[in-house]
Amino acid sequence: MSLPHAILTALAEKPSSGLELTRRFDKSIGYFWSATHQQIYRELGRLEEKGLIRALPSARPTRGQKKEYEVLPAGRAELTAWVAEAEDPKPVRDALLLRVRAAGVVGAGGLDAELRRHLALHREQLAEYEAIGKRDFPPERDAEQDRLRRLVLRGGIGLESFWISWLDEALTEIEEIGGGRA
Amino acid sequence: MSLPHAILTALAEKPSSGLELTRRFDKSIGYFWSATHQQIYRELGRLEEKGLIRALPSARPTRGQKKEYEVLPAGRAELTAWVAEAEDPKPVRDALLLRVRAAGVVGAGGLDAELRRHLALHREQLAEYEAIGKRDFPPERDAEQDRLRRLVLRGGIGLESFWISWLDEALTEIEEIGGGRA
DNA sequence: CTCGGTTATGCAACTCGTTGCAAAAGGGTC
DNA sequence: GACCCTTTTGCAACGAGTTGCATAACCGAG
């Protein structure tokens, strides 16, 4: 139930149309709450119906015509309440860890290539995060919002760093095992 | 599409009934691929229909009566093929990071309690993983399967450790901000 | 001025996971 | 032996996310 709040956050940062939101989700918010344009349009409709956001009056309501939304006071209140809500961390569901476990039963044939591929992907993502850090958060910007966004970014960086080091370790391990067999 | 393979892996490690599987998912496999008993029963039905597993002949097929399954050769082949399949890492979707970002817009009121709660949960989980490591994987066991399961466990440990250190950092940051305002 | 590409919004169908509940069998207790 | 609790299996409905496609406006090229 977090998608509506992801959208409220994005709109509170800057009023946008559905497509603009989609693009921002591809770049920024989507790094920790991804969503497709479909989900976004559907949710914008629901949020408008509930009176949490509204279409800016300038935008006519025809199809194919850009429609900008902004957050209403009720939406801001909803978001404020949600921030303090308790929600347990979702249990991990990671197919790669599962593959390694399955490899213990049927052998690790071909898994090393997949591990290397993931390693490359995570290195890319880490590089992107670090570029964003340099570009968007120079140390002189220090408002509350900047500090919190930097904190979230450090979360992303930490996660990617973890995966990179685990994948390194995994590759070493699997090469050793494979070497002993082949 | 990994649930069937999670079940195949579990059954290959040891033939089980639906309820036993449910319990093993709560303890072991479920740490990185969680599933409810509902999903498991449904999937057992599908896997049997496809001829990848079968009910052990001893078990009569009535409701409320235990029914044990084992993996058939076709199931093992399917699992072997799946291990080498390519699958991109799923984009992160983390409500807590989203809350921190939202706090940048509407203020961090009450969020610190939630961060502390998560910190405690992750510390618990880490302790559990470390206990499992000591109990199930003493260093003298060194078969391929043991090494790979230990590798997966180290993944879990690394993830929990990452969250613990990020949450520590986040709490410090938010206390500083809050201190400057109150 | 019409044709094709781009921008923008949206519907419908599907899969996967979740939640609440029901039903059959077995075992213990009074 | 009637009652109730536990174990085990299962159905049905729902909600969130995904995929494929449709529709409408706009804009530039020829």
Side-chain angles (χ1 to χ4, degrees):
Chain A
M1 297 274 302
S2 300
L3 178 59
H5 303 99
I7 292 178
L8 286 173
T9 303
L11 288 181
E13 288 171 0
K14 180 174 181 313
S16 308
S17 69
L19 194 65
E20 281 163 12
L21 276 178
T22 303
R23 293 202 174 119
R24 289 173 59 198
F25 268 74
D26 283 342
K27 280 196 310 248
S28 163
I29 299 243
Y31 287 142
F32 47 91
W33 199 277
S34 62
T36 64
H37 74 117
Q38 270 314 325
Q39 289 177 270
I40 290 170
Y41 283 118
R42 217 184 330 183
E43 202 60 45
L44 283 172
R46 287 180 195 153
L47 288 170
E48 190 177 21
E49 210 175 329
K50 283 195 210 161
L52 303 185
I53 63 174
R54 66 162 183 179
L56 287 181
S58 65
R60 284 150 301 167
T62 43
R63 196 167 190 165
Q65 194 77 1
K66 192 198 270 197
K67 208 159 120 192
E68 289 229 308
Y69 292 93
E70 68 175 358
V71 178
L72 293 172
R76 193 165 270 270
E78 167 62 33
L79 190 57
T80 307
W82 178 80
V83 165
E85 257 175 41
E87 186 177 349
D88 284 348
K90 281 263 176 77
V92 178
R93 224 176 234 155
D94 187 280
L96 193 59
L97 290 173
L98 187 55
R99 281 193 165 84
V100 173
R101 171 95 172 225
V105 180
V106 296
L111 186 52
D112 55 325
E114 179 69 350
L115 293 173
R116 264 185 279 273
R117 202 174 66 87
H118 279 234
L119 182 54
L121 289 172
H122 286 293
R123 286 199 171 125
E124 249 176 65
Q125 187 66 55
L126 178 59
E128 191 164 342
Y129 285 157
E130 280 169 345
I132 291 173
K134 279 193 192 147
R135 176 168 22 94
D136 296 351
F137 304 110
E140 63 272 17
R141 297 186 54 189
D142 207 44
E144 175 173 349
Q145 180 163 12
D146 294 308
R147 298 183 66 167
L148 291 174
R149 287 180 65 159
R150 213 178 288 139
L151 179 59
V152 172
L153 185 62
R154 282 200 302 270
I157 289 175
L159 263 180
E160 297 303 326
S161 303
F162 154 72
W163 281 114
I164 290 167
S165 79
W166 181 82
L167 283 164
D168 262 329
E169 191 185 334
L171 277 164
T172 307
E173 189 86 41
I174 283 185
E175 272 162 29
E176 269 183 44
I177 293 173
R181 195 200 308 152
Chain B
M1 299 277 301
S2 299
L3 178 59
H5 303 99
I7 292 179
L8 286 172
T9 303
L11 289 181
E13 287 171 0
K14 180 175 180 312
S16 308
S17 69
L19 195 63
E20 282 164 11
L21 275 179
T22 303
R23 294 203 173 117
R24 290 172 58 199
F25 268 74
D26 283 343
K27 280 195 311 242
S28 163
I29 299 243
Y31 286 141
F32 47 91
W33 200 276
S34 62
T36 63
H37 73 116
Q38 271 314 322
Q39 289 176 269
I40 290 170
Y41 283 118
R42 218 183 330 180
E43 201 60 46
L44 282 172
R46 288 179 195 155
L47 287 170
E48 190 177 19
E49 210 174 328
K50 283 195 212 160
L52 303 185
I53 63 174
R54 65 162 184 182
L56 287 180
S58 64
R60 285 151 300 166
T62 45
R63 195 168 189 164
Q65 194 76 1
K66 192 197 274 199
K67 207 158 120 192
E68 289 229 309
Y69 291 93
E70 69 175 359
V71 178
L72 293 173
R76 192 165 270 270
E78 166 63 34
L79 190 56
T80 307
W82 178 79
V83 165
E85 255 174 42
E87 184 176 352
D88 284 347
K90 279 261 175 81
V92 177
R93 224 177 231 156
D94 187 278
L96 194 57
L97 290 173
L98 187 55
R99 280 192 166 83
V100 174
R101 171 93 173 225
V105 179
V106 297
L111 186 52
D112 55 326
E114 179 69 352
L115 293 174
R116 265 185 280 272
R117 201 174 66 86
H118 279 235
L119 182 54
L121 289 171
H122 286 294
R123 286 201 171 120
E124 251 176 64
Q125 188 65 56
L126 177 60
E128 191 165 341
Y129 285 158
E130 279 169 345
I132 290 174
K134 278 191 190 146
R135 175 170 22 94
D136 295 350
F137 304 110
E140 63 270 18
R141 298 186 53 192
D142 207 44
E144 175 172 352
Q145 181 164 13
D146 294 307
R147 299 183 67 166
L148 290 174
R149 287 180 66 157
R150 213 178 287 139
L151 179 61
V152 172
L153 185 62
R154 283 200 301 270
I157 290 175
L159 262 181
E160 296 303 327
S161 304
F162 155 71
W163 280 113
I164 290 168
S165 78
W166 182 81
L167 283 164
D168 262 329
E169 190 184 335
L171 277 165
T172 308
E173 188 86 40
I174 282 185
E175 272 161 29
E176 269 182 44
I177 293 173
R181 194 198 311 149

